[in-house]
Amino acid sequence: MEFDRDLFVIGAGSGGVRAARIAATHGAKVSVAEDYRVGGTCVIRGCVPKKLMVYAARFADDFADAKGFGWSVGATSHDWAALIAAKDREIARLEGIYAANLDRAGVEILRTRARLDGPHRVRLADGRVLTARHVLIATGGTPVRDAGFPGSELAATSEEVFGWTRRPERLVVVGGAYVALEFASLFAGLGTKVTVLYRGEEILRGFDGEVRRHLHAALVARGLDVVTGDLPTRLERTPTGLKLETRGGRVIETDEVLLAVGRRPATRDLGVETVDLALAADGSIPVTGAAATNLPWLHAVGDVTGRAALTPVAIRDGHAFADEVFGGIPREVSHELIPTAVFTTPEVGTVGVGEEELRTAGTAHLVFRSTFRPMRATLAGRDERTLMKILVGEADDRVLGVHVVGPDAAEMIQLVAVALRMGAKKADFDRTMALHPSAAEELVTMRQPSDRWRP
Ligand code: NDP
């Protein structure tokens, strides 16, 4: 059978762009369709702009701490519109680079919506139908907009926040995971009065319990109101803003409500019913290996697959898919030991398992723990403490999990992840010379376990 293209990619986000570019460098004729902006969630309205806003928020600490080091900073104020404009310029620059890289690799970018239209066929918004030997779905995900209470349409999601023309003075964030806590923390840093409303017992479900409690306390100490075990029941507009009522009987007057209650795989209106593709219950596309679906010509990478919704995972899988299918290079991508960070202030960095997971698995382990005041905090007069935890298998001395809550946690955990991938034992950490003075040196100087757990 003759096809118009070797590869048609639906979605120009992190995974789709990488796959398209690598496939083209292997000589494939590739088109990628995107109905929004090239770069996807991460670049346009996710990780990248969020991190820029986190940097903006953290200057508040710098100004406050500077005094202890002899500086007089004077009056400070923040111009939200200037931040958004600067962020928009940077995102436009990055989008340009992504598009230029595709162009240079010979990938055709179709700025339109595309959907499946039977095996090997893709229909564009203008009705044109193209055929491709392989189709890759890399449509990502979209924020959940309906949290099941009246008035939830008055709330924003992460997608709108990046375009807000004014910073709210009061903000309620619904949810207790990455998106909720990162925005809650950065808005608080910029001066917004923030309430986090989380339905569970403790924020950051799935993380090590001590990390969750430590971060919760740190956010409260920074002035955030963190409410657990409660849910919104109604949201309505008032003459002065919004009024949120909760199941627990709270009535909160606020300027904005941010719904950060998860994301859905973007498989709606994708034409999956035109092919024999089996979706999972949550609407995601199950894959094996890098990107294989139950159809040999159809592939999927990134958030749409329901795998860890993280950019590096999409990029790795997209690259591996292109290498395998178009370069004949077998690739194995491991989804184990994925390091992750929550860019709150203080930030969380984690790799491997937490204590609760080890207990559930019945794994005897030692807990090495250190809490300390970072050096900078001394002169700054700040009492926020850093938490570091190393979890070690008792049977074989293997390091099974490392957790940091404190400045630069993400930077540290990326490198710790290399050691864990190599199968590092606690003895390897111990024989590594400390780098002094640093916070990270604590990771190689903890000698006495604080706890031991046996099934
Ligand atoms: P998550 O799915 O991780 O968390 C959703 C949160 O909303 C949870 O706290 C959940 O509670 C709560 N929730 C879900 N449904 C409701 C509801 N109906 N009413 C009230 N609360 C509800 O979603 P996020 O949007 O935070 O993040 C999506 C993904 O994006 C993450 O899994 C992560 O992979 C990725 N991401 C990564 C970042 C990073 O690496 N720094 C940053 C941002 C996103 P419960 O715990 O009880 O289920």
Side-chain angles (χ1 to χ4, degrees):
M1 212 174 143
E2 282 291 304
F3 298 101
D4 303 327
R5 311 278 188 280
D6 297 311
L7 173 65
F8 195 100
V9 181
I10 306 180
S14 302
V17 164
R18 176 62 68 93
R21 197 164 57 72
I22 300 303
T25 57
H26 287 309
K29 187 176 177 198
V30 185
S31 294
V32 53
E34 172 60 57
D35 67 351
Y36 184 56
R37 295 175 63 181
V38 174
T41 299
C42 182
V43 175
I44 308 296
R45 42 191 178 182
C47 350
V48 175
K50 181 272 316 281
K51 187 82 185 269
L52 293 172
M53 290 160 87
V54 169
Y55 283 127
R58 287 184 181 166
F59 280 98
D61 280 7
D62 294 339
F63 297 139
D65 292 357
K67 196 160 174 258
F69 293 85
W71 288 95
S72 35
V73 174
T76 60
S77 63
H78 184 260
D79 182 342
W80 171 264
L83 170 64
I84 295 299
K87 180 268 293 176
D88 286 345
R89 282 194 297 278
E90 175 59 8
I91 299 311
R93 186 184 75 85
L94 293 175
E95 183 182 8
I97 291 172
Y98 268 63
N101 286 346
L102 284 172
D103 209 40
R104 205 170 304 124
V107 175
E108 176 191 34
I109 306 175
L110 300 164
R111 297 197 179 253
T112 178
R113 195 168 172 80
R115 63 199 307 277
L116 297 168
D117 187 54
H120 298 279
R121 287 160 56 91
V122 174
R123 181 180 291 273
L124 308 184
D126 64 6
R128 253 190 316 156
V129 172
L130 298 174
T131 61
R133 187 177 302 280
H134 293 277
V135 176
L136 176 71
I137 300 176
T139 47
T142 52
V144 171
R145 287 183 182 275
D146 181 10
F149 58 88
S152 71
E153 70 282 356
L154 298 173
T157 70
S158 59
E159 293 194 341
E160 289 81 62
V161 171
F162 293 114
W164 275 349
T165 51
R166 283 186 327 144
R167 176 180 60 78
E169 288 302 322
R170 302 164 300 175
L171 171 66
V172 177
V173 180
V174 183
Y178 288 89
V179 174
L181 298 176
E182 289 181 345
F183 278 116
S185 176
L186 79 86
F187 274 103
L190 292 173
T192 295
K193 176 87 194 79
V194 177
T195 304
V196 175
L197 195 63
Y198 174 54
R199 64 181 180 181
E201 235 170 76
E202 185 54 285
I203 56 171
L204 275 191
R205 188 162 61 84
F207 283 67
D208 179 88
E210 216 172 342
V211 164
R212 299 166 73 184
R213 293 188 294 276
H214 190 93
L215 180 67
H216 183 149
L219 294 176
V220 169
R222 282 175 168 267
L224 286 86
D225 190 8
V226 180
V227 177
T228 55
D230 205 357
L231 274 173
T233 47
R234 167 182 296 277
L235 178 62
E236 58 189 38
R237 218 178 271 293
T238 67
T240 53
L242 296 168
K243 185 173 80 174
L244 186 74
E245 293 171 12
T246 75
R247 183 177 289 173
R250 290 180 174 80
V251 178
I252 310 170
E253 303 276 346
T254 183
D255 299 315
E256 295 282 359
V257 172
L258 170 61
L259 270 189
V261 295
R263 297 176 60 85
R264 275 205 191 100
T267 46
R268 278 189 200 155
D269 195 27
L270 196 60
V272 287
E273 67 287 352
T274 67
V275 300
D276 198 13
L277 177 65
L279 294 184
D282 65 354
S284 64
I285 301 175
V287 288
T288 53
T293 70
N294 59 328
L295 300 169
W297 58 272
L298 188 64
H299 317 265
V301 292
D303 293 4
V304 76
T305 65
R307 276 182 169 161
L310 297 168
T311 297
V313 175
I315 290 176
R316 273 293 167 93
D317 286 341
H319 200 128
F321 152 77
D323 272 350
E324 272 173 12
V325 174
F326 300 99
I329 308 163
R331 292 269 184 231
E332 219 173 281
V333 179
S334 164
H335 293 99
E336 280 165 25
L337 290 172
I338 299 172
T340 179
V342 187
F343 290 103
T344 41
T345 305
E347 73 189 25
V348 177
T350 185
V351 61
V353 290
E355 263 193 83
E356 294 70 18
E357 250 176 293
L358 287 174
R359 287 178 191 206
T360 305
T363 309
H365 62 273
L366 303 171
V367 182
F368 294 83
R369 178 186 296 111
S370 174
T371 63
F372 58 93
R373 235 172 132 202
M375 194 173 180
R376 169 174 152 156
T378 53
L379 294 199
R382 197 174 273 287
D383 25 305
E384 196 164 87
R385 297 179 80 76
T386 288
L387 167 70
M388 290 187 179
K389 257 178 104 164
I390 305 180
L391 303 174
V392 179
E394 192 175 20
D396 57 3
D397 197 40
R398 274 281 275 274
V399 178
L400 302 172
V402 180
H403 309 274
V404 177
V405 187
D408 304 318
E411 306 293 339
M412 287 181 222
I413 286 297
Q414 174 68 86
L415 299 180
V416 169
V418 178
L420 263 61
R421 269 243 70 95
M422 296 174 76
K425 300 200 163 181
K426 179 65 168 57
D428 297 313
F429 277 57
D430 293 347
R431 65 196 175 89
T432 300
M433 196 66 83
L435 189 157
H436 186 71
S438 67
E441 70 179 305
E442 283 292 319
L443 291 169
V444 298
T445 54
M446 289 183 226
R447 291 291 183 270
Q448 289 304 319
S450 333
D451 292 312
R452 180 188 308 268
W453 185 89
R454 289 186 178 137

